[in-house]
């Protein structure tokens, strides 16, 4: 169970991750920040973290969102799916890791791809929910897919810029090679994130996932009734959020 301080920090961060900081409304954004912090968490550390997040977002996404044309090469691989919600109202993201080409990728495009994924997944939720579940499918994973630098870059963004957005990460169909990658990455996984990772036995994939996700949203590959929906094809009302165009 989270402490009261952790809950307060999550509330502030969750509320503010929907705000955009641009050159022409920095004062407005910081005024909202002040109001939120005074309401739920007056600590100076939270102020510092949120200001850092806003500055990062302003630098990384000047338009307030990632254009699909700026991640078109990676989107064409159809390696990320967006499948609806789990039983807690959190969006479901599926990563088909064998479709990732480690030796062909551009690291900056990978970073943009996952920021796009995290934002679109959060925006696809209902009832104010902002978290998401990820299924990392390692079926067919091999050396050509292993990308330690890419994993660490995405992990840094997830843990530093999207704290508490991840509800759970299910890893399925893990080959022996996966554990080599895990040994290199795991020292950089913080405790909060590590506690949300579930290593699923191959014999219990359907049983494990259907406890969390209704069959209507779970692809047939995992025992459900749905088809894969590439994230760029998923319809999200009002998307992209934060557009200034």
């Amino acid at each position: 169970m989270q402490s009261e301080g952790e809950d307060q920090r999550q509330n502030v961060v969750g509320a503010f991750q929907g705000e955009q900081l641009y050159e022409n409304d920095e004062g407005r954004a910081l005024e909202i920040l002040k109001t939120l912090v005074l309401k739920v968490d007056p600590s100076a550390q939270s102020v510092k973290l949120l200001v850092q997040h806003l500055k990062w977002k302003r630098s990384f996404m000047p338009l307030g969102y990632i254009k699909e044309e700026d991640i078109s090469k990676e989107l064409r691989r159809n390696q990320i799916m967006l499948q609806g919600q789990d039983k807690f109202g959190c969006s479901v993201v599926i990563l088909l890791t064998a479709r990732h080409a480690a030796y062909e990728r551009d690291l900056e495009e990978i970073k943009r791809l996952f920021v796009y994924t995290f934002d679109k997944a959060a925006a696809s939720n209902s009832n104010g929910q902002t978290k998401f579940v990820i299924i990392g499918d390692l079926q067919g994973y091999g050396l050509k897919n292993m990308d330690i630098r890419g994993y660490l870059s995405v992990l840094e963004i997830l843990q530093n810029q999207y704290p508490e957005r991840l509800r759970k990460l299910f890893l399925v169909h893990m080959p022996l090679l996966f554990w080599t990658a895990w040994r290199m990455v795991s020292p950089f996984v913080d405790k909060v994130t590590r506690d949300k990772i579930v290593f699923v036995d191959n014999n219990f994939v359907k049983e494990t996932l259907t406890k969390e996700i209704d069959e209507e949203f779970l692809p047939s590959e995992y025992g459900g009734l749905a088809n894969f929906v590439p994230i760029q094809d998923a319809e999200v009302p009002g998307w992209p959020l934060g557009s200034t165009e």
Side-chain angles (χ1 to χ4, degrees):
M1 181 177 294
Q2 295 186 138
S3 68
E4 182 179 355
E6 288 171 330
D7 285 335
Q8 289 176 333
R9 181 176 181 273
Q10 178 180 336
N11 289 338
V12 176
V13 172
F16 228 84
Q17 281 174 336
E19 295 292 333
Q20 310 300 328
L21 180 59
Y22 312 118
E23 292 182 1
N24 61 352
D25 72 350
E26 183 171 347
R28 171 180 172 273
L30 292 176
E31 186 62 31
I32 295 172
L33 168 62
K34 179 181 177 180
T35 301
L36 285 170
V37 170
L38 288 175
K39 284 183 178 180
V40 299
D41 186 359
S43 73
Q45 181 64 18
S46 287
V47 174
K48 179 180 178 181
L49 290 171
L50 286 167
V51 169
Q52 287 175 346
H53 173 75
L54 287 169
K55 289 181 177 179
W56 169 83
K57 205 159 190 177
R58 177 186 184 185
S59 173
F60 197 85
M61 292 183 285
L63 294 176
Y65 69 103
I66 300 296
K67 286 185 174 182
E68 290 185 355
E69 64 192 64
D70 292 334
I71 51 174
S72 59
K73 179 180 177 180
E74 294 299 330
L75 289 178
R76 283 196 295 271
R77 300 186 192 282
N78 287 334
Q79 59 189 306
I80 301 181
M81 309 292 156
L82 186 57
Q83 297 292 147
Q85 284 81 42
D86 68 5
K87 294 180 181 180
F88 301 89
C90 303
S91 56
V92 178
V93 174
I94 299 176
L95 308 180
L96 301 178
T97 62
R99 297 185 182 183
H100 176 62
Y103 299 105
E104 299 176 16
R105 64 99 173 109
D106 174 88
L107 186 59
E108 292 305 310
E109 185 171 354
I110 289 296
K111 293 178 184 179
R112 292 193 297 270
L113 173 69
F114 277 88
V115 169
Y116 167 89
T117 297
F118 298 152
D119 283 347
K120 191 168 185 179
S124 72
N125 289 327
S126 57
N127 301 320
Q129 180 61 262
T130 60
K131 293 190 177 186
F132 44 76
V133 166
I134 297 176
I135 300 172
D137 187 347
L138 290 114
Q139 185 74 47
Y141 181 85
L143 283 172
K144 66 179 181 180
N145 313 119
M146 187 185 291
D147 186 0
I148 303 303
R149 189 178 178 193
Y151 304 154
L152 293 177
S153 295
V154 172
L155 180 66
E156 181 181 19
I157 291 172
L158 176 66
Q159 294 183 159
N160 294 339
Q161 306 304 335
Y162 294 85
E164 300 300 336
R165 285 296 178 95
L166 179 67
R167 194 180 79 78
K168 280 189 180 180
L169 167 59
F170 296 96
L171 295 173
V172 302
H173 303 144
M174 295 165 289
L176 288 176
L177 181 62
F178 162 77
W179 297 106
T180 299
W182 175 250
R183 282 194 293 272
M184 289 186 275
V185 172
S186 60
F188 300 93
V189 180
D190 64 32
K191 185 180 185 305
V192 173
T193 302
R194 188 185 294 262
D195 289 345
K196 297 174 182 178
I197 300 175
V198 181
F199 301 99
V200 182
D201 187 293
N202 284 345
N203 295 316
F204 299 101
V205 171
K206 179 178 179 179
E207 178 182 339
T208 301
L209 295 181
T210 53
K211 286 180 181 178
E212 306 275 339
I213 304 165
D214 288 328
E215 291 185 0
E216 66 176 304
F217 296 123
L218 190 66
S220 57
E221 285 78 0
Y222 314 114
L225 303 173
N227 296 317
F228 282 132
V229 180
I231 190 167
Q232 66 269 26
D233 296 334
E235 296 185 3
V236 176
W239 178 263
L241 303 178
S243 173
T244 63
E245 296 186 324

